[in-house]
Amino acid sequence: MTEQLALLGGQPVRTTPLPAYNTLGPEERAAVNAVMDSGVLSQFLGAWTPDFYGGPRVQQLERAWEAHFDVAHAVSMNSATSCLYAAVGALDIGPGDEVIVSPYTMSASAAAALVYGAVPVFADIDPDTFCLTAETITRCITPRTRAIIVVDIFGQPADFAPIMALARQHGLKVIEDNAQGPGARYHGRYSGTLADIGVFSLNYHKTIHSGEGGIAVSNDARLAEKLRLIRNHAEAVAEAKGETDLVNLVGYNYRMTEIEAAIAGEQLKKLPALLATRQSHAARLTARLAGLPGITPPKVRADAEHGWYVYAIKYDAKATGVPRAKLVQALRAEGIPAAEGYVKPLYLQPMYQQRIAIGRDGFPFNLPAYAGSLNYARGICPTCEQMHFESLIYADYIHASLSEADVDSIADAWVKVLGNLDALREAR
Ligand SMILES: *Cc1c(COP(=O)(O)O)cnc(C)c1O
C-alpha cells in the first residue's frame, strides 16, 4: 500500500521548496558592468538621426536575434506587450476592425487590439494544445476581420500552416505571440517567425529574460520599419524621415535600455542549453506520469518541438471522482506546486463584461459596426472554459534550475496522490 497522503497527515514527498528559476551568472554581470563602464545606458534619440535606431548593445542584440532565429528583422522593445501593441499598429489596424485572438493567454494579447480602437473577437482553443486552430478561427471571421493574434501558449507552436493558408485566403494579417516559446519549432522553423509579425518576451518569468523586454520580428522590411517608428516617437520623426504613409504613426517610447540589451544578448546564448534541459525534464516527467489514472500529460504534436514554458496537465475529475481543487490541495500538501487553470478566459474580465476600455462611453465596443454582434458572454469558447474551470492543472515543473531529482520528486508526488484516490475521495 502507498504511504499516507500529506493532506491526511502523512509525510510529504518534499519538505523543501523547489529551487527558483535563475539563469543569471557571471556572463550577465560582466555584460552589465561593461555597459556601466561605457557610461551609456541608452542611446536612443526620438529624432531622425542614426541614434533613432538605438545604441550599440540594442543593435547587437537585434542582429544576434535575427541570426539565431533566422529572420530578416528583429526590433527590440521594453516588453512583449509593447511589441504586441506596436504590431497591431504596424498592421494599420484601427477603429471598426476586428482582431481574432485566443481567450487563453496573457491579457495583453487581446488588449493590443483595443489600444488601436479595434475589438478582440475570441476564438476557441484546441483541447490538446490550448492554441487557436484554423477551424476555430474560421468560425469567427466576418467582413470586419483584419488580423489574427495566435498565441503559442505554454510554449508549443500553434498549427500555423492551415492558419496562414486561411489568413491568406481571407486577406488577413497574423501576429504570432510567442512570448512563451523561444526556441520552439514548427516544421523545422522557429516559432515566432511563422507569421507576419512575431513577438518574444524577455520578462523575468520567461525562459530567457532581461528583467523586462521584448523582441518583435518580421521578414517584411516595411512592417519592421513601422515597428521601429512606433517604438520611438514616430510622429516626431515622420517628416524628416520622409514618411508619407502616416497610418498609426502615433509613436510611443517602447525603447529597450543598453543594460537590458546586454543581458538579453547573454541570455540568448544560453537559450539552447536552457531549452534542452526543459525538454529533457518534460520527457522525464511525462514518462513517469503517462498511464496514471485521470490525467493526460501535455501532448506534443509530431510536427513541432515544444518550447516548454510550463507543463500543463489535463485532469478528469469525472474519471477519478476527486474534484480538481482537492487534487491540487493534495499535491501542494506533498510539497509541490500546482494551480487550477491558467488565466480566466479573457472575455470574462470586467473590461469586456462591462465594455469599458477607452474613455467613459464604451469605445471601441460601442461602434455602430458592433451593435448586436459582439459577444463576450460566458459560453462563447466552451473548450477554453472547460480547460480553465475544470481540466487544466498548470505548474512550472520543468524549468532549468530544477535537477533531475527535483523532477523525480514532482513525479513521486503525482504518483502518490493518484495512487491514493480512494483515500482522497473519502476525505472531507
Ligand atoms: C508574458 C507574456 C506576454 C507579455 O510579455 P511582457 O514582456 O511581460 O509584456 C504576452 N503574451 C504572453 C502569452 C505572455 O506569456
PDB file of all heavy atoms in Angstrom, residues 79-82 84 105-106 108-109 151 153 177 179-180 201-203 206 212-213 309 342, ligand 1:
ATOM      1  N   SER A  79       9.070  45.587 -23.715  1.00  0.00           N
ATOM      2  CA  SER A  79       8.259  44.448 -23.269  1.00  0.00           C
ATOM      3  C   SER A  79       7.629  43.789 -24.478  1.00  0.00           C
ATOM      4  O   SER A  79       7.552  44.383 -25.557  1.00  0.00           O
ATOM      5  CB  SER A  79       7.144  44.890 -22.300  1.00  0.00           C
ATOM      6  OG  SER A  79       6.149  45.615 -23.000  1.00  0.00           O
ATOM      7  N   ALA A  80       7.159  42.575 -24.279  1.00  0.00           N
ATOM      8  CA  ALA A  80       6.383  41.922 -25.339  1.00  0.00           C
ATOM      9  C   ALA A  80       5.035  42.599 -25.502  1.00  0.00           C
ATOM     10  O   ALA A  80       4.467  42.612 -26.596  1.00  0.00           O
ATOM     11  CB  ALA A  80       6.198  40.441 -25.022  1.00  0.00           C
ATOM     12  N   THR A  81       4.515  43.156 -24.419  1.00  0.00           N
ATOM     13  CA  THR A  81       3.266  43.908 -24.518  1.00  0.00           C
ATOM     14  C   THR A  81       3.440  45.053 -25.515  1.00  0.00           C
ATOM     15  O   THR A  81       2.617  45.252 -26.415  1.00  0.00           O
ATOM     16  CB  THR A  81       2.866  44.445 -23.134  1.00  0.00           C
ATOM     17  OG1 THR A  81       2.682  43.326 -22.259  1.00  0.00           O
ATOM     18  CG2 THR A  81       1.603  45.278 -23.187  1.00  0.00           C
ATOM     19  N   SER A  82       4.532  45.806 -25.369  1.00  0.00           N
ATOM     20  CA  SER A  82       4.806  46.894 -26.316  1.00  0.00           C
ATOM     21  C   SER A  82       4.919  46.339 -27.732  1.00  0.00           C
ATOM     22  O   SER A  82       4.425  46.949 -28.686  1.00  0.00           O
ATOM     23  CB  SER A  82       6.100  47.608 -25.938  1.00  0.00           C
ATOM     24  OG  SER A  82       6.004  48.173 -24.646  1.00  0.00           O
ATOM     25  N   LEU A  84       3.467  43.697 -28.980  1.00  0.00           N
ATOM     26  CA  LEU A  84       2.124  43.345 -29.471  1.00  0.00           C
ATOM     27  C   LEU A  84       1.359  44.599 -29.877  1.00  0.00           C
ATOM     28  O   LEU A  84       0.708  44.632 -30.926  1.00  0.00           O
ATOM     29  CB  LEU A  84       1.343  42.596 -28.384  1.00  0.00           C
ATOM     30  CG  LEU A  84       1.771  41.155 -28.124  1.00  0.00           C
ATOM     31  CD1 LEU A  84       1.214  40.650 -26.793  1.00  0.00           C
ATOM     32  CD2 LEU A  84       1.303  40.247 -29.272  1.00  0.00           C
ATOM     33  N   THR A 105      -4.733  33.306 -22.723  1.00  0.00           N
ATOM     34  CA  THR A 105      -3.422  33.915 -22.896  1.00  0.00           C
ATOM     35  C   THR A 105      -3.291  35.057 -21.914  1.00  0.00           C
ATOM     36  O   THR A 105      -4.244  35.448 -21.250  1.00  0.00           O
ATOM     37  CB  THR A 105      -3.247  34.421 -24.346  1.00  0.00           C
ATOM     38  OG1 THR A 105      -2.012  35.122 -24.481  1.00  0.00           O
ATOM     39  CG2 THR A 105      -4.378  35.353 -24.754  1.00  0.00           C
ATOM     40  N   MET A 106      -2.091  35.582 -21.826  1.00  0.00           N
ATOM     41  CA  MET A 106      -1.865  36.775 -21.015  1.00  0.00           C
ATOM     42  C   MET A 106      -2.673  37.925 -21.633  1.00  0.00           C
ATOM     43  O   MET A 106      -2.798  38.010 -22.852  1.00  0.00           O
ATOM     44  CB  MET A 106      -0.361  37.030 -21.071  1.00  0.00           C
ATOM     45  CG  MET A 106       0.141  38.020 -20.102  1.00  0.00           C
ATOM     46  SD  MET A 106       0.310  39.578 -20.979  1.00  0.00           S
ATOM     47  CE  MET A 106       0.302  40.678 -19.603  1.00  0.00           C
ATOM     48  N   ALA A 108      -2.508  40.948 -22.450  1.00  0.00           N
ATOM     49  CA  ALA A 108      -2.042  41.914 -23.450  1.00  0.00           C
ATOM     50  C   ALA A 108      -2.251  41.430 -24.883  1.00  0.00           C
ATOM     51  O   ALA A 108      -2.364  42.243 -25.803  1.00  0.00           O
ATOM     52  CB  ALA A 108      -0.563  42.238 -23.232  1.00  0.00           C
ATOM     53  N   SER A 109      -2.310  40.115 -25.079  1.00  0.00           N
ATOM     54  CA  SER A 109      -2.523  39.599 -26.439  1.00  0.00           C
ATOM     55  C   SER A 109      -3.797  40.177 -27.041  1.00  0.00           C
ATOM     56  O   SER A 109      -3.869  40.424 -28.238  1.00  0.00           O
ATOM     57  CB  SER A 109      -2.633  38.071 -26.452  1.00  0.00           C
ATOM     58  OG  SER A 109      -1.650  37.448 -25.684  1.00  0.00           O
ATOM     59  N   VAL A 151      -1.452  32.643 -30.322  1.00  0.00           N
ATOM     60  CA  VAL A 151      -0.538  32.528 -29.190  1.00  0.00           C
ATOM     61  C   VAL A 151       0.004  31.108 -29.103  1.00  0.00           C
ATOM     62  O   VAL A 151      -0.767  30.147 -29.129  1.00  0.00           O
ATOM     63  CB  VAL A 151      -1.260  32.885 -27.869  1.00  0.00           C
ATOM     64  CG1 VAL A 151      -0.286  32.877 -26.700  1.00  0.00           C
ATOM     65  CG2 VAL A 151      -1.957  34.241 -27.990  1.00  0.00           C
ATOM     66  N   ILE A 153       0.780  29.030 -26.811  1.00  0.00           N
ATOM     67  CA  ILE A 153       0.596  29.029 -25.365  1.00  0.00           C
ATOM     68  C   ILE A 153       1.347  27.872 -24.701  1.00  0.00           C
ATOM     69  O   ILE A 153       1.412  26.778 -25.243  1.00  0.00           O
ATOM     70  CB  ILE A 153      -0.910  29.023 -25.004  1.00  0.00           C
ATOM     71  CG1 ILE A 153      -1.114  29.507 -23.581  1.00  0.00           C
ATOM     72  CG2 ILE A 153      -1.547  27.662 -25.247  1.00  0.00           C
ATOM     73  CD1 ILE A 153      -0.880  30.973 -23.367  1.00  0.00           C
ATOM     74  N   ASP A 177       2.101  35.517 -31.130  1.00  0.00           N
ATOM     75  CA  ASP A 177       2.540  35.831 -29.772  1.00  0.00           C
ATOM     76  C   ASP A 177       3.306  34.618 -29.246  1.00  0.00           C
ATOM     77  O   ASP A 177       2.720  33.655 -28.757  1.00  0.00           O
ATOM     78  CB  ASP A 177       1.339  36.165 -28.882  1.00  0.00           C
ATOM     79  CG  ASP A 177       1.760  36.497 -27.449  1.00  0.00           C
ATOM     80  OD1 ASP A 177       2.930  36.234 -27.089  1.00  0.00           O
ATOM     81  OD2 ASP A 177       0.908  36.999 -26.694  1.00  0.00           O
ATOM     82  N   ALA A 179       5.597  34.753 -26.853  1.00  0.00           N
ATOM     83  CA  ALA A 179       6.233  35.179 -25.604  1.00  0.00           C
ATOM     84  C   ALA A 179       6.735  33.989 -24.802  1.00  0.00           C
ATOM     85  O   ALA A 179       7.757  34.072 -24.121  1.00  0.00           O
ATOM     86  CB  ALA A 179       5.242  35.987 -24.767  1.00  0.00           C
ATOM     87  N   GLN A 180       6.028  32.867 -24.897  1.00  0.00           N
ATOM     88  CA  GLN A 180       6.327  31.737 -24.013  1.00  0.00           C
ATOM     89  C   GLN A 180       7.206  30.669 -24.661  1.00  0.00           C
ATOM     90  O   GLN A 180       7.597  29.734 -23.969  1.00  0.00           O
ATOM     91  CB  GLN A 180       5.008  31.109 -23.530  1.00  0.00           C
ATOM     92  CG  GLN A 180       4.127  32.120 -22.796  1.00  0.00           C
ATOM     93  CD  GLN A 180       2.894  31.504 -22.160  1.00  0.00           C
ATOM     94  OE1 GLN A 180       2.598  30.333 -22.365  1.00  0.00           O
ATOM     95  NE2 GLN A 180       2.167  32.309 -21.391  1.00  0.00           N
ATOM     96  N   SER A 201       8.952  37.546 -25.503  1.00  0.00           N
ATOM     97  CA  SER A 201       9.035  38.298 -24.246  1.00  0.00           C
ATOM     98  C   SER A 201      10.352  38.000 -23.543  1.00  0.00           C
ATOM     99  O   SER A 201      10.835  36.869 -23.538  1.00  0.00           O
ATOM    100  CB  SER A 201       7.893  37.910 -23.298  1.00  0.00           C
ATOM    101  OG  SER A 201       8.083  38.535 -22.035  1.00  0.00           O
ATOM    102  N   LEU A 202      10.896  39.038 -22.923  1.00  0.00           N
ATOM    103  CA  LEU A 202      12.094  38.883 -22.093  1.00  0.00           C
ATOM    104  C   LEU A 202      11.795  39.293 -20.657  1.00  0.00           C
ATOM    105  O   LEU A 202      12.676  39.759 -19.943  1.00  0.00           O
ATOM    106  CB  LEU A 202      13.234  39.721 -22.682  1.00  0.00           C
ATOM    107  CG  LEU A 202      13.797  39.218 -24.029  1.00  0.00           C
ATOM    108  CD1 LEU A 202      14.635  40.296 -24.702  1.00  0.00           C
ATOM    109  CD2 LEU A 202      14.640  37.959 -23.822  1.00  0.00           C
ATOM    110  N   ASN A 203      10.525  39.138 -20.239  1.00  0.00           N
ATOM    111  CA  ASN A 203      10.247  39.451 -18.833  1.00  0.00           C
ATOM    112  C   ASN A 203      10.746  38.310 -17.948  1.00  0.00           C
ATOM    113  O   ASN A 203      11.005  37.215 -18.414  1.00  0.00           O
ATOM    114  CB  ASN A 203       8.784  39.838 -18.615  1.00  0.00           C
ATOM    115  CG  ASN A 203       7.872  38.675 -18.239  1.00  0.00           C
ATOM    116  OD1 ASN A 203       8.299  37.651 -17.705  1.00  0.00           O
ATOM    117  ND2 ASN A 203       6.604  38.831 -18.510  1.00  0.00           N
ATOM    118  N   LYS A 206      10.018  34.446 -18.080  1.00  0.00           N
ATOM    119  CA  LYS A 206      10.134  33.686 -19.319  1.00  0.00           C
ATOM    120  C   LYS A 206      11.452  32.899 -19.382  1.00  0.00           C
ATOM    121  O   LYS A 206      12.344  33.110 -18.566  1.00  0.00           O
ATOM    122  CB  LYS A 206       9.978  34.634 -20.515  1.00  0.00           C
ATOM    123  CG  LYS A 206       8.655  35.417 -20.487  1.00  0.00           C
ATOM    124  CD  LYS A 206       7.435  34.527 -20.663  1.00  0.00           C
ATOM    125  CE  LYS A 206       6.126  35.101 -20.161  1.00  0.00           C
ATOM    126  NZ  LYS A 206       5.624  36.279 -20.813  1.00  0.00           N
ATOM    127  N   GLU A 212      12.872  43.036 -17.858  1.00  0.00           N
ATOM    128  CA  GLU A 212      11.768  43.378 -18.753  1.00  0.00           C
ATOM    129  C   GLU A 212      12.350  43.463 -20.153  1.00  0.00           C
ATOM    130  O   GLU A 212      13.525  43.776 -20.319  1.00  0.00           O
ATOM    131  CB  GLU A 212      11.138  44.736 -18.390  1.00  0.00           C
ATOM    132  CG  GLU A 212      10.640  44.866 -16.960  1.00  0.00           C
ATOM    133  CD  GLU A 212       9.356  44.104 -16.676  1.00  0.00           C
ATOM    134  OE1 GLU A 212       8.768  43.523 -17.611  1.00  0.00           O
ATOM    135  OE2 GLU A 212       8.961  44.052 -15.490  1.00  0.00           O
ATOM    136  N   GLY A 213      11.515  43.226 -21.143  1.00  0.00           N
ATOM    137  CA  GLY A 213      11.976  43.373 -22.518  1.00  0.00           C
ATOM    138  C   GLY A 213      11.149  42.536 -23.465  1.00  0.00           C
ATOM    139  O   GLY A 213      10.424  41.627 -23.042  1.00  0.00           O
ATOM    140  N   TYR A 309       7.464  26.165 -21.798  1.00  0.00           N
ATOM    141  CA  TYR A 309       7.406  27.254 -20.813  1.00  0.00           C
ATOM    142  C   TYR A 309       6.873  26.703 -19.493  1.00  0.00           C
ATOM    143  O   TYR A 309       7.476  26.903 -18.445  1.00  0.00           O
ATOM    144  CB  TYR A 309       6.501  28.357 -21.349  1.00  0.00           C
ATOM    145  CG  TYR A 309       6.236  29.491 -20.403  1.00  0.00           C
ATOM    146  CD1 TYR A 309       7.282  30.207 -19.826  1.00  0.00           C
ATOM    147  CD2 TYR A 309       4.929  29.873 -20.102  1.00  0.00           C
ATOM    148  CE1 TYR A 309       7.025  31.269 -18.972  1.00  0.00           C
ATOM    149  CE2 TYR A 309       4.669  30.936 -19.262  1.00  0.00           C
ATOM    150  CZ  TYR A 309       5.726  31.622 -18.697  1.00  0.00           C
ATOM    151  OH  TYR A 309       5.470  32.671 -17.849  1.00  0.00           O
ATOM    152  N   TYR A 342      -5.170  28.307 -15.815  1.00  0.00           N
ATOM    153  CA  TYR A 342      -4.143  29.326 -16.101  1.00  0.00           C
ATOM    154  C   TYR A 342      -4.765  30.688 -15.830  1.00  0.00           C
ATOM    155  O   TYR A 342      -5.025  30.984 -14.669  1.00  0.00           O
ATOM    156  CB  TYR A 342      -3.661  29.113 -17.554  1.00  0.00           C
ATOM    157  CG  TYR A 342      -2.711  30.145 -18.095  1.00  0.00           C
ATOM    158  CD1 TYR A 342      -1.589  30.551 -17.379  1.00  0.00           C
ATOM    159  CD2 TYR A 342      -2.925  30.702 -19.350  1.00  0.00           C
ATOM    160  CE1 TYR A 342      -0.727  31.500 -17.903  1.00  0.00           C
ATOM    161  CE2 TYR A 342      -2.052  31.637 -19.880  1.00  0.00           C
ATOM    162  CZ  TYR A 342      -0.963  32.042 -19.156  1.00  0.00           C
ATOM    163  OH  TYR A 342      -0.124  32.976 -19.676  1.00  0.00           O
TER     164      TYR A 342
HETATM  165  C1  LIG B   1       4.478  37.213 -20.848  1.00  0.00           C
HETATM  166  C2  LIG B   1       3.516  37.271 -21.956  1.00  0.00           C
HETATM  167  C3  LIG B   1       3.218  38.466 -22.635  1.00  0.00           C
HETATM  168  C4  LIG B   1       3.700  39.797 -22.190  1.00  0.00           C
HETATM  169  O1  LIG B   1       5.052  39.862 -22.006  1.00  0.00           O
HETATM  170  P1  LIG B   1       5.718  41.156 -21.334  1.00  0.00           P
HETATM  171  O2  LIG B   1       7.115  41.118 -21.830  1.00  0.00           O
HETATM  172  O3  LIG B   1       5.614  40.959 -19.857  1.00  0.00           O
HETATM  173  O4  LIG B   1       4.983  42.352 -21.776  1.00  0.00           O
HETATM  174  C5  LIG B   1       2.379  38.401 -23.725  1.00  0.00           C
HETATM  175  N1  LIG B   1       1.833  37.254 -24.131  1.00  0.00           N
HETATM  176  C6  LIG B   1       2.062  36.090 -23.494  1.00  0.00           C
HETATM  177  C7  LIG B   1       1.437  34.845 -23.997  1.00  0.00           C
HETATM  178  C8  LIG B   1       2.911  36.064 -22.376  1.00  0.00           C
HETATM  179  O5  LIG B   1       3.128  34.919 -21.734  1.00  0.00           O
END
